[in-house]
Structures are given as structure tokens and as C-alpha cells.
Amino acid sequence: MHSRSTEIATEQAYFDTTAKHRDRKISELGGLVRAAANSGAAAHLHRHAEAARRAIGTADDAVAFGRVDHETGETLYLGRHLIRDDNAEVLVVNWQAPAVAGYFEASHQEPQGLRRRRTFDCTGNTIRDFTEVIFAEIAETVDRHLLADLERGRTGEMRDIVATIQAAQFALIRAPRDQMLVIEGGPGTGKTAVALHRVSWLLFTHAEMLNAADVLIVGPHPTFMRYIRTVLPGLGDAEVELRDIGRLAPTVARGRVEPAEVSRIKGEVRMAGLLSRAVEGRIGVPEPAERLLVDGRFVTVPGAEVAEALDHARAAELPYLGRRQLFRDRLGQIVADRTGGAAPAGGSALANLVERLWPQQTAPAFLRDLLGSRSRLRAAAGTDFTAEELTHLHRRSADRLSQELWSAADLALLDELDHLVNGAGRRYGHVVVDEAQDLSPMQLRAVGRRSANGSFTVVGDIAQSTGAWARDSWDEVTRHLPTPHPVTVTALRYGYRVPRPAYELAARLLPVAAPGVTAPEVVRDGPAEPRTHRVGLTERPGRVVAVALEHAAAGRFVGIVCPPRCRREVEAALAENGVEWHSADRGELGGSINLVSPQEAKGLEFDAVVVVEPAEIVASDERGHRLLYVAFTRTTGHLDVVCVGDPLPLTAPARPTRGDDDPPRGLTAREVRRIAEHIAGQIRGAAPEPHWDELLAEVTQLLRPE
């Protein structure tokens, strides 16, 4: 028997030799990249060389993360990238290669011809230690290397999990492409990581028909996209497109705040019909006779002929602007036939008639005019909307389009209109949509139209479904994503990230939050029990900051999950203590202390989480218990709850009621100030300064009794 130190030294020698070949190849490819960049005719060569250089990794990476020994005597090392020696002999096999599938799939019950599986713990390319499974021996219940990896601190970016992929995860990663695969799982089951590694697997397996630029990944918000952005480049797939759901729409100024009932209406699928009818409604009706000045003389075109040209273009299976051009061409030919000359290429009279009957449109300009016009809304509504709903949709537009602010719900409408006006945009061979359980039907339509073939990976957790579109089943999501392929819903059973004490606290919410959801089986104990800090109202923000600083001083990556009503006081306390912090609402995630809302926390993870006022989190959303479940399960280690009220509210908070004869409760000066600051912040974010007086006047009017 070799001693462990001797075994590590032997493995290190192999790593060092392999690294020399890897680094030589990196250097060669770097030279090729530079040469290609200096050649104006070699853009394709540059792209190829850059992709090949990424595919082999960097000099800072370990050459391998694992090794398998077959019963036949064959030994294979596996890593994130294929590495060969000078004679083209394989030194390290890509983790996606079928030859090393047993590393992920083998068990003591089904060893798949393996004698040993070894996993290396490295700093750079230096082996610190290894763990291994000898398949003839009795199994440990949990992979020790996986648990060791989970104990590592977080950095604000998701890591790849190739060294710790479990058999159930690997089965989903390798699932066939031609389906809509729904990966559901509780917090910490690795569903997002599995979806990202599935993308890398599909690109490797279907390289002849699918490249990285053919894949789109859609996430819930910019912070989440920043969190996952380095995983696929680290696996050699840097050109995959990542967008948050709001970035599918045309680029506009965001920030409009609107009532929940308005956002709800805008998210419903019937809005697609309203927008389609509104677009068709912009096509006009000609006069009985249209008189045009062409080449210095007047030409009269019967209205019936113009109407026929309109009907011909209207019936074409083209987007609005494509049909407009068809109408323009046909009308030009009609004029040419009447003048005996060629169809006029230009001319203000013809252009003016086309613009009057079939006006040029952009999605933002069209939606601004539609929402600003009661008559256009009524005409497009048909029988699908009530008068009250149309009143909710109507709004006063900004004086200029460039000044218009758009709400989150507007973005999906803009995308729908852009599709109607300009036609299909970029489509992808595979689409991944994460946190899909919260998307509105209109947002799901925006995702669905990006798919060229119906190949989807859908990721989420019904128990974490909150907001206006909280769901209780996946059918409510998948029916809005068109696919000719089968829909497969598969659950991940084991929770790896969240420690058992924190999850046991969170799981107490499930009977209220999501009674039909089965909790995952948690596999690790974690470093500490959750702590509860019951404080007075004035003490709350200071205690939040003190607890966060305690964790930060221990080198932990900290997330403060704070409901909107408590946010201003926490921000003030952070500033008063001179704390450097990052805010998820600005797309930031980094440093040691981060402030996130319960909604923004979805999909993120921290070494330590400080949850502020659980009762307020529950009160902030119709599915508030699900939001609190999210907040409690963002930790990989430590959980603290700072609160004035109930640290684990299992019932909906009582809403104060009073009869008409009861005197209203008076507000303290502090409460008045806090409410005023909140309203001012809403107005500041919703409109430019010149409209503030107008908005205040409108608010005052709305507050008066009927």
C-alpha cells in the first residue's frame, strides 16, 4: 500500500506533466488568436482560435478534478476540458465524454465496471487532498467531497459543479434535447446548476447542429444573471446568450410604478389579442377617391382600388411593417398603371397616402399611444375586457416618447408589439428559463417565441412561486410555451446547499405556503443553529447591521433579506456605521454585505443570511409565506432572524379593521415621515421632476372620498 502522501505526490506528478502540455497548447492558441486578429480576412479563424483557447481552460485551473479506475485496469482522468500530449494521446478526458459517465452514475449497487472513483481537492493545479470511493466497500450515505465543497465560502458568483455532480443530477444533464424538460426542486437541490451543465452537455453532444450562440438562458432579474454568468464560460461555452426577462423587450427607460391590479391585467394572455386587434386597427380606410400629385400632375385613384390593395396586403402572412411595404408597392403599381409610367420610387404624395392609411410604427410609440387613448383601448378590447379594466389600463403619457417610463409589466407588451410590427426576431435551438414559476403568460409568450423548435429546459420550484402569478402546478406555466415535444416534469430529491437546521425552520412554513409540495431530503448539518434576535422597533436596524458585520468579520458572504417597508431604515443604519454594501436592485452582488429583497433573493446563496422582520415579508405578498420560505433558504451556513414581531408567522397577519364610527388611529410623527418618504420615493422613481406637482395633485384627488 502506498501512503497517502506518496499517492498525492504521484498524482501531482501526473498533474504537472499534463499542465505543461495544456499550457503549451494555450500559448500556441494565444499566438493564433493574435495572428488572426491582425488579419482582416480571418475573422472566422479568430473566432475558432478563441473558442479553442477557452475550451482548454486556463493556466490557473486544475487539469483534472477526478479519476476513474475500471475493473479492466484502464484509468481515466476527467476535467472540464480535453487535454492531449504532443502525440495526441488523451491525458484528461472532457467530463462530457461517454467514457467517464460512470464517474457520475456509478454506485455500490451499480458500479458500472468501475473499481474506484477518486475526486481531487485542488488549489490551482496543486492537489491538496482527495476523496475516493472503492466500489467493493460499503457506501457512505453522502459524497464526502460534495459536502466539503459545500462548506467552501461563497463569492457572489455561482461555481460549476462538475466535480460534485450527483447521479440524479447527471441523468437530467444528459436528458434528450427534443423535449420540454421541467426541472423542479426545493432550495439547494442544484436545479439551476443542473440546467447550466445541461446546456454545456447539449453543446458537446449536438455540436454538429447546436453552437453556443444558439442557446438562450432567461432569468428573473439582472442580479441573478450576474450570479450565474461565469459558469458556462468556465466550461468553455462563453457565447451562450444570457438575458433577464426584462431584456427580451426593446430597450426603453424603465421605472414606472403601477398598482398590482394593472400589472395583473397586463400579464394576462388576453392582452395578446388586444394588441393584435389594436395593430390591425391602425390600418385606415381610403376616401371614395384619392387624388395624388405625381410628376407635376394630379392623378385620381378610385377608393375601391386602394381598398383592394389594402385588403391584399392585410391578408398576407407578414408582420405589420412587411404588409405595409406590400401595400406601398401595390399602390405604387396602381399609380403607375394610371400614369402609363414606371411605379414611382418615391414622391411625397404617395408616401403621405401610405402613412395616412398604414402608418409607420415602433413598439414603444404604438404602446404609448394605445395606453394614452381611451377610444383606441375600447376599440381593441372587443368583449375581452370590462370598462373598469380599460380604465386601469389607460394612463396619461409623457409629452415626448423619450420621456416615457415603462413598468415591468409593460416590457412583455412591448415585446409582443415588436413581434407584431417587425416580425420574428432571433430564435434559438435551445432555451432555458429559470424561476419560470413566477412569469406571467405574456412573459412566457416572450420566452416561447424565442424558441426555433420547442426545445426547452424550464427550472423552478412551485413552493417558491410568489407575486401576481403565483402558481400551484407546472401546467399553468408550460401551456404558454409552445412545443411539439413531450413535456417531462422531474423533481430533484436531495437538498445539498441549505443546512438542515435552517431548512427545518423553513419547512415549517410549507403546510401553509405550499401544502402539495414535498420537501427535499437535506444531506448536511451546517455549522450552527438559526438565531433569533427579538428587538424593539428603534433597535431593529442597528441589530441587523451588527449581525451582518459579525458575519462579515468572519469572512462570510452575507445577504440581508429585507422587505421593502424596512429597507430605508436598514440602508440608513448601514450608512451610519460606514458599511460598504451592495444592492441587488442595482444588479449588484459582491463584496461581503449585500442587501436584497425577498423577491430578488430567489436563486441566490450566501454563507450567512440575515432575515429582517418575517411578519412584514409575509404581509407584503399574497403568497408571503412562500417569500419567507425563500428568505430562510438562501443560506449555506448561518441564518439570523431580526424582528420586532413573530419570527415564524404561520398565519396571515391580522389586518386592522374599524367601523365607520370608530375613530382612526393617529400616526406618530415618525410614521408620517416614513410614509411620506416612501411615497416620495415612488413618485421620484415613476416620473421626471417636471411632472411631480401634477402627480401630487392627482394623488390628492384620488385620496378624497367618493
Side-chain angles (χ1 to χ4, degrees), residues 407-554:
S407 71
D410 287 333
L411 300 179
L413 305 186
L414 289 169
D415 189 73
E416 185 82 21
L417 279 169
D418 191 63
H419 176 72
L420 291 170
V421 171
N422 296 306
R426 175 72 189 281
R427 302 175 80 195
Y428 299 83
H430 189 74
V431 177
V432 176
V433 52
D434 207 331
E435 301 291 351
Q437 74 276 355
D438 293 340
L439 299 184
S440 73
M442 291 301 292
Q443 289 174 321
L444 290 167
R445 284 175 62 88
V447 173
R449 69 173 59 97
R450 263 72 185 181
S451 174
N453 51 22
S455 176
F456 288 97
T457 300
V458 179
V459 182
D461 179 13
I462 293 298
Q464 298 182 62
S465 185
T466 60
W469 295 99
R471 268 96 175 194
D472 295 310
S473 80
W474 282 109
D475 290 343
E476 300 171 40
V477 174
T478 58
R479 67 184 174 196
H480 299 293
L481 296 173
T483 180
H485 304 305
V487 177
T488 306
V489 180
T490 305
L492 289 167
R493 175 182 175 189
Y494 294 102
Y496 303 105
R497 171 177 53 78
V498 184
R500 186 174 286 107
Y503 191 77
E504 287 176 349
L505 177 64
R508 292 174 60 187
L509 294 161
L510 282 180
V512 180
V517 171
T518 301
E521 297 183 31
V522 178
V523 303
R524 55 189 288 261
D525 290 325
E529 293 289 327
R531 299 187 299 179
T532 298
H533 309 260
R534 299 295 293 267
V535 294
L537 183 61
T538 57
E539 186 187 356
R540 182 174 60 195
R543 181 66 64 87
V544 169
V545 173
V547 173
L549 286 172
E550 174 191 340
H551 288 302

Side-chain angles (χ1 to χ4, degrees), residues 618-640:
V618 169
S620 68
D621 190 278
E622 186 178 349
R623 301 295 184 100
H625 288 97
R626 291 184 178 181
L627 274 181
L628 184 57
Y629 177 75
V630 170
F632 282 166
T633 56
R634 296 308 92 203
T635 180
T636 64
H638 300 265
L639 175 63
D640 287 83

Side-chain angles (χ1 to χ4, degrees), residues 598-666:
Q599 291 84 355
E600 292 162 341
K602 289 186 180 182
L604 306 181
E605 59 183 34
F606 303 90
D607 299 328
V609 167
V610 183
V611 176
V612 183
E613 208 57 67
E616 186 59 47
I617 292 176
V618 169
S620 68
D621 190 278
E622 186 178 349
R623 301 295 184 100
H625 288 97
R626 291 184 178 181
L627 274 181
L628 184 57
Y629 177 75
V630 170
F632 282 166
T633 56
R634 296 308 92 203
T635 180
T636 64
H638 300 265
L639 175 63
D640 287 83
V641 178
V642 180
C643 57
V644 175
D646 190 346
L648 188 68
L650 295 178
T651 58
R655 301 290 183 182
T657 59
R658 61 182 181 91
D660 292 338
D661 297 329
D662 294 335
R665 180 183 68 86

Side-chain angles (χ1 to χ4, degrees), residues 166-433:
Q166 304 299 291
Q169 296 173 328
F170 194 58
L172 293 179
I173 289 170
R174 298 180 65 189
R177 173 192 175 201
D178 294 333
Q179 64 176 313
M180 181 184 293
L181 177 63
V182 180
I183 302 175
E184 69 169 0
T189 53
K191 52 191 179 292
T192 297
V194 168
L196 295 175
H197 288 69
R198 172 167 163 73
V199 167
S200 188
W201 177 272
L202 292 174
L203 292 173
F204 176 83
T205 306
H206 301 285
E208 72 286 352
M209 64 179 71
L210 188 70
N211 61 55
D214 293 326
V215 177
L216 171 67
I217 297 176
V218 180
H221 49 74
T223 303
F224 179 85
M225 305 315 292
R226 286 172 61 88
Y227 178 62
I228 69 171
R229 64 183 174 177
T230 61
V231 174
L232 285 168
L235 296 173
D237 304 306
E239 295 181 5
V240 171
E241 188 163 353
L242 283 77
R243 292 192 177 212
D244 68 81
I245 187 67
R247 287 189 59 227
L248 297 182
T251 301
V252 292
R254 310 183 195 183
R256 175 180 288 272
V257 178
E258 61 190 8
E261 61 267 28
V262 178
S263 295
R264 174 78 191 196
I265 296 169
K266 289 179 179 179
E268 294 182 15
V269 73
R270 57 189 171 137
M271 284 298 300
L274 183 148
L275 295 177
S276 178
R277 292 187 292 271
V279 167
E280 294 304 304
R282 296 298 285 134
I283 301 172
V285 178
E287 300 290 339
E290 296 285 359
R291 199 158 182 255
L292 307 177
L293 181 62
V294 179
D295 296 332
R297 64 191 180 98
F298 286 101
V299 177
T300 300
V301 180
E305 293 187 26
V306 179
E308 183 182 358
L310 282 169
D311 291 342
H312 173 77
R314 195 195 297 265
E317 294 186 1
L318 292 169
Y320 178 90
L321 290 183
R323 291 181 293 148
R324 181 183 191 272
Q325 184 61 46
L326 195 64
F327 168 62
R328 193 186 198 294
D329 294 344
R330 185 118 173 179
L331 187 59
Q333 189 59 55
I334 290 172
V335 172
D337 291 343
R338 291 196 162 267
T339 59
S348 60
L350 181 62
N352 289 341
L353 178 57
V354 171
E355 183 63 22
R356 175 164 60 84
L357 295 177
W358 205 307
Q360 187 89 12
Q361 297 289 349
T362 66
F366 186 93
L367 187 59
R368 171 178 174 268
D369 292 346
L370 175 64
L371 297 180
S373 169
R374 298 181 191 275
S375 61
R376 287 183 183 173
L377 281 170
R378 281 195 301 269
T383 60
D384 291 345
F385 294 82
T386 66
E388 183 182 6
E389 287 172 331
L390 295 180
T391 298
H392 285 317
L393 289 174
H394 177 260
R395 73 189 190 205
R396 179 171 178 174
S397 303
D399 293 337
R400 290 189 293 182
L401 182 60
S402 61
Q403 297 175 330
E404 192 76 26
L405 286 178
W406 303 91
S407 71
D410 287 333
L411 300 179
L413 305 186
L414 289 169
D415 189 73
E416 185 82 21
L417 279 169
D418 191 63
H419 176 72
L420 291 170
V421 171
N422 296 306
R426 175 72 189 281
R427 302 175 80 195
Y428 299 83
H430 189 74
V431 177
V432 176
V433 52

Side-chain angles (χ1 to χ4, degrees), residues 5-155:
S5 59
T6 302
E7 194 74 14
I8 290 176
T10 300
E11 297 284 29
Q12 186 64 56
Y14 189 87
F15 272 43
D16 292 342
T17 299
T18 304
K20 291 178 181 178
H21 293 286
R22 188 265 312 271
D23 296 347
R24 173 188 51 77
K25 186 66 174 177
I26 291 173
S27 179
E28 291 175 357
L29 288 169
L32 187 58
V33 168
R34 288 189 294 274
N38 293 329
S39 171
H44 65 287
L45 179 61
H46 180 266
R47 287 194 300 270
H48 173 77
E50 188 63 56
R53 184 170 68 168
R54 285 195 303 266
I56 201 172
T58 72
D60 296 328
D61 298 330
V63 295
F65 61 80
R67 160 184 160 174
V68 288
D69 295 6
H70 289 260
E71 294 286 359
T72 60
E74 181 184 27
T75 295
L76 294 174
Y77 289 82
L78 64 159
R80 292 163 178 81
H81 314 284
L82 174 68
I83 302 175
R84 300 177 184 269
D85 67 11
D86 295 339
N87 299 316
E89 294 292 327
V90 174
L91 299 174
V92 174
V93 180
N94 190 309
W95 69 277
Q96 299 147 323
V100 293
Y103 177 88
F104 306 106
E105 297 178 322
S107 67
H108 290 267
Q109 292 75 29
E110 296 289 341
Q112 301 194 9
L114 295 187
R115 183 173 61 86
R116 182 206 317 264
R117 178 180 66 210
R118 178 172 287 180
T119 304
F120 299 103
D121 180 10
C122 299
T123 300
N125 197 48
T126 300
I127 300 172
R128 297 191 304 179
D129 202 352
F130 63 81
T131 59
E132 65 181 21
V133 175
I134 307 298
F135 287 100
E137 298 176 355
I138 297 175
E140 292 188 4
T141 56
V142 181
D143 186 322
R144 285 181 293 159
H145 185 76
L146 168 62
L147 294 181
D149 184 74
L150 289 167
E151 298 300 331
R152 293 168 56 195
R154 268 50 197 165
T155 63

